[in-house]
Amino acid sequence: MVKSTSKDAQDLFRSLHSAYSATPTNLKIIDMYVVFAVFTALIQVAYMALVGSFPFNSFLSGVLSCVGTAVLAVCLRIQVNKENKEFKCKTIVTNLGGIVAMFVIAV
Amino acid sequence: MMNLSRSVALISLFLLPLLSFSFSVDNPTDRRVLVLLDDLSLKSSHSIFFTTLKSRGFDLDFKLADDSKLALQRYGQYLYDGLIVFAPSTERFGGSLDSKSIADFVDSGRDLILSADTSASDLIRGIALECGVDFDEDSSAMVIDHSSFSVSDGDHTLIAADDLVKSDAILGKTKIEAPVLFRGVAHSLNPTNNLVLKVLSASPSAYSANPSSKLSSPPQLTGSAISLVSVMQARNNARVVISGSLQLFSDRLFRSGVQKAGSPNKYEKSGNEQFATELSKWVFHERGHLKAGSLVHHRVGETDEPAIYRIKDDLEFSVEILEWSGKSWEPYVADDVQVQFYMMSPYVLKTLSTDKKGMFHTSFKVPDVYGVFQFKVEYGKLGYTTLSLSKQIPVRPYRHNEYERFIPTAYPYYGACFTTMAGFFVFSFVYLYHK
């Protein structure tokens, strides 16, 4: 029983990994950026847990800027992903450059 | 016409020097003293005491207590700076004197020596009561001590007392070796009254009773609760000495030798003369009189006094205190003067250090509380005048541009923001131009 569940977990992980490697490179770049931003936010939360929340304003600005840029990157990923036909959002321009420009302005 | 105005000018010129012969802020020792006696023979029987006073520069004016021309003031000005009442049996003073006018005299800052004796009248008791001293109600009672009496006496009423208060200001630097001889009435002080003080107390074996009749009930005043000589320093620094014995100041007791019963020490001369002289020096402000200059405070490194301090400022505080030596103002030296930085309660309490030239100074940091504070110096040492000085100063919090520019503990957050910016910049390039 145990052996089969661990084998299932391994099979699951392998199938996810192979499916993910099939995604296009530009989406992978966006994913890396999101992971970097969230990781920076987590480091700051760990630091705050360590030394206390004295300059709480600084803590908030650090964490929220990281989380905000992660959220905007996810939005970009949604709009750029070719498999998302139902997400043809009402953007004025539909080419890649326009979408990226919107992301830049949002940040 | 011309002659009249010229003579008036000449007379006023002669009167002008007389106006300087009184005590003032710059010269606190009393000058003119009125001595009230109920019997002019006291002038000769207490001549040593009066001569020592005169030799120290006092201007003594001897009058009988029922003299009808007695007056302490004329046209609102006091004629005397000190009053000695050696009239224990006087029922009523003459002239315009009564217990209320003597109370007003002390209220104006002037000093008093009051002495009762075995037949103290109600008037004298009333004046003593105004000053916080309670004489024994029994008018025939005297202080009797069966173990602390002088051996030259027969009926144990001549007390040899050596329980003196420990104060260099009141009794002088030299220790009084010989016991002080006392024969008179007892008084007690209210223990909650913090203005009166026992200078000469009776021994624990003393009691107050009529020596010629048998005791029917235990005496009310006993032991060291009995005070033989007390002093009072009023809140306006007027000084009053109240003694239960007029004989304490007499020549006979000044000159007599003393041997306390039960003690082998025989003294050639009693301690009375030294005691009375030192006490009179204290009462007439020749010793123990302090004067303080204004409080000076400023930030460290500046000299001007600011109108407002900021929290966590470093400041320096100093005050000048002088002591009257009898002839001139000398620097006061002590190590227990304290300053409080006070707002409803003292936030800072520091002992001032002295440079031995009269300046007391300290420095401290303003506390992290804002509001209106006071620098308070409240000094009440035994035997010295009370100093009560205060100066108000507000304290403000930081202005918006006085905070530190970058908080060190927040450096990781600053770093995170900058790395996010750099990451975004790199990401946008990579995303747009990757192949």
Side-chain angles (χ1 to χ4, degrees):
Chain A
M1 203 57 184
V2 174
K3 250 191 125 180
S4 63
T5 48
S6 70
K7 200 166 172 304
D8 284 340
Q10 276 186 352
D11 280 344
L12 183 64
F13 180 69
R14 226 174 274 129
S15 69
L16 281 176
H17 185 71
S18 57
Y20 185 68
S21 20
T23 57
T25 325
N26 57 348
L27 293 184
K28 277 202 203 133
I29 294 175
I30 297 178
D31 290 340
M32 253 185 11
Y33 181 62
V34 170
V35 164
F36 157 73
V38 170
F39 177 63
T40 314
L42 283 176
I43 289 182
Q44 287 179 85
V45 171
Y47 178 73
M48 188 214 86
L50 209 62
V51 299
S53 65
F54 159 54
F56 195 59
N57 298 344
S58 318
F59 163 70
L60 284 180
S61 78
V63 168
L64 256 44
S65 66
C66 295
V67 167
T69 187
V71 165
L72 291 170
V74 166
C75 287
L76 175 69
R77 191 184 194 280
I78 290 172
Q79 293 191 357
V80 156
N81 200 345
K82 294 196 177 53
E83 289 165 22
N84 265 343
K85 298 231 181 14
E86 63 272 20
F87 264 99
K88 255 307 157 43
C89 38
K90 305 171 186 71
T91 53
I92 299 166
V93 288
T94 51
N95 62 348
L96 184 66
I99 296 172
V100 171
M102 291 200 65
F103 173 69
V104 168
I105 290 170
V107 171
Chain B
M1 257 327 177
M2 274 289 282
N3 271 336
L4 183 64
S5 58
R6 199 184 295 171
S7 53
V8 163
L10 274 175
I11 289 172
S12 57
L13 212 63
F14 280 123
L15 284 178
L16 213 58
L18 286 176
L19 291 172
S20 59
F21 282 137
S22 67
F23 83 110
S24 60
V25 172
D26 291 323
N27 186 342
T29 305
D30 305 340
R31 288 275 133 249
R32 294 164 306 169
V33 178
L34 172 64
V35 184
L36 292 179
L37 311 166
D38 56 2
D39 184 354
L40 280 176
S41 64
L42 281 176
K43 263 175 87 167
S44 51
S45 67
H46 289 60
S47 60
I48 302 182
F49 180 60
F50 294 131
T51 323
T52 50
L53 283 180
K54 280 198 203 131
S55 68
R56 296 211 307 270
F58 291 101
D59 201 358
L60 299 179
D61 199 359
F62 294 93
K63 291 244 163 68
L64 275 178
D66 47 13
D67 188 336
S68 57
K69 289 204 277 301
L70 280 180
L72 283 175
Q73 352 179 20
R74 189 188 296 149
Y75 310 128
Q77 304 268 51
Y78 277 103
L79 299 165
Y80 303 99
D81 308 317
L83 179 59
I84 300 182
V85 180
F86 278 175
S89 56
T90 312
E91 294 289 341
R92 252 189 85 237
F93 289 124
S96 62
L97 235 63
D98 58 358
S99 69
K100 183 180 178 312
S101 64
I102 293 186
D104 289 340
F105 186 77
V106 174
D107 269 345
S108 73
R110 290 163 168 82
D111 311 313
L112 169 67
I113 299 183
L114 181 73
S115 180
D117 204 67
T118 45
S119 52
S121 67
D122 282 338
L123 175 67
I124 302 293
R125 284 167 198 274
I127 301 174
L129 200 59
E130 293 262 356
C131 301
V133 163
D134 255 327
F135 277 103
D136 195 349
E137 283 167 356
D138 187 355
S139 57
S140 54
M142 290 175 64
V143 182
I144 304 173
D145 194 336
H146 294 300
S147 62
S148 213
F149 57 93
S150 168
V151 292
S152 57
D153 188 37
D155 61 352
H156 301 180
T157 53
L158 185 62
I159 316 284
D162 46 15
D163 192 358
L164 296 159
V165 73
K166 286 181 187 41
S167 168
D168 279 353
I170 300 179
L171 294 175
K173 288 200 183 54
T174 346
K175 185 168 157 19
I176 300 177
E177 298 287 346
V180 176
L181 290 170
F182 177 98
R183 177 189 271 136
V185 293
H187 59 262
S188 64
L189 307 174
N190 189 345
T192 54
N193 188 343
N194 58 357
L195 299 174
V196 286
L197 179 70
K198 277 193 283 204
V199 170
L200 187 65
S201 327
S203 75
S205 56
Y207 62 97
S208 170
N210 190 342
S212 51
S213 70
K214 235 167 102 111
L215 274 180
S216 54
S217 58
Q220 277 185 322
L221 284 178
T222 57
S224 355
I226 294 181
S227 173
L228 305 174
V229 177
S230 336
V231 300
M232 194 237 341
Q233 183 166 265
R235 290 197 183 88
N236 61 357
N237 292 320
R239 292 173 174 172
V240 176
V241 167
I242 298 184
S243 160
S245 163
L246 188 50
Q247 295 180 30
L248 194 150
F249 297 98
S250 68
D251 293 356
R252 197 169 63 84
L253 291 189
F254 272 19
R255 289 199 194 104
S256 83
V258 59
Q259 182 180 8
K260 193 163 136 171
S263 136
N265 300 332
K266 190 165 162 50
Y267 297 93
E268 284 291 314
K269 197 165 140 70
S270 66
N272 286 40
E273 182 169 359
Q274 187 183 358
F275 178 73
T277 312
E278 296 297 331
L279 209 54
S280 68
K281 280 189 192 159
W282 182 81
V283 135
F284 292 130
H285 289 270
E286 281 178 62
R287 190 173 52 220
H289 188 95
L290 300 174
K291 169 173 91 160
S294 60
L295 312 175
V296 170
H297 58 89
H298 56 87
R299 282 201 194 94
V300 170
E302 294 176 16
T303 49
D304 292 335
E305 207 173 272
I308 188 168
Y309 279 114
R310 198 203 66 204
I311 57 172
K312 300 199 192 124
D313 259 346
D314 290 307
L315 60 80
E316 281 178 354
F317 171 84
S318 64
V319 63
E320 187 185 19
I321 302 182
L322 300 171
E323 185 181 4
W324 178 248
S325 70
K327 291 175 187 41
S328 60
W329 290 104
E330 302 291 321
Y332 179 58
V333 177
D335 57 359
D336 54 3
V337 188
Q338 291 181 322
V339 65
Q340 304 176 6
F341 199 55
Y342 176 93
M343 174 167 73
M344 311 289 279
S345 70
Y347 282 82
V348 176
L349 180 69
K350 288 212 99 168
T351 307
L352 299 171
S353 46
T354 175
D355 65 349
K356 307 257 186 306
K357 291 195 191 58
M359 290 300 292
F360 291 82
H361 58 88
T362 187
S363 61
F364 55 89
K365 214 179 184 46
V366 174
D368 197 357
V369 180
Y370 47 90
V372 177
F373 282 86
Q374 280 179 333
F375 286 104
K376 269 170 96 147
V377 175
E378 306 263 345
Y379 190 63
K381 197 164 176 172
L382 188 67
Y384 288 91
T385 54
T386 41
L387 291 178
S388 202
L389 318 160
S390 75
K391 203 165 200 183
Q392 211 175 57
I393 187 77
V395 170
R396 64 166 173 86
Y398 281 119
R399 286 203 198 96
H400 73 284
N401 58 355
E402 281 177 347
Y403 290 100
E404 45 197 350
R405 189 69 185 86
F406 293 109
I407 302 175
T409 39
Y411 282 158
Y413 304 124
Y414 305 151
C417 288
F418 287 118
T419 51
T420 310
M421 286 157 58
F424 166 71
F425 187 70
V426 164
F427 160 73
S428 60
F429 268 113
V430 163
Y431 184 71
L432 286 174
Y433 298 116
H434 79 99
K435 263 299 151 266

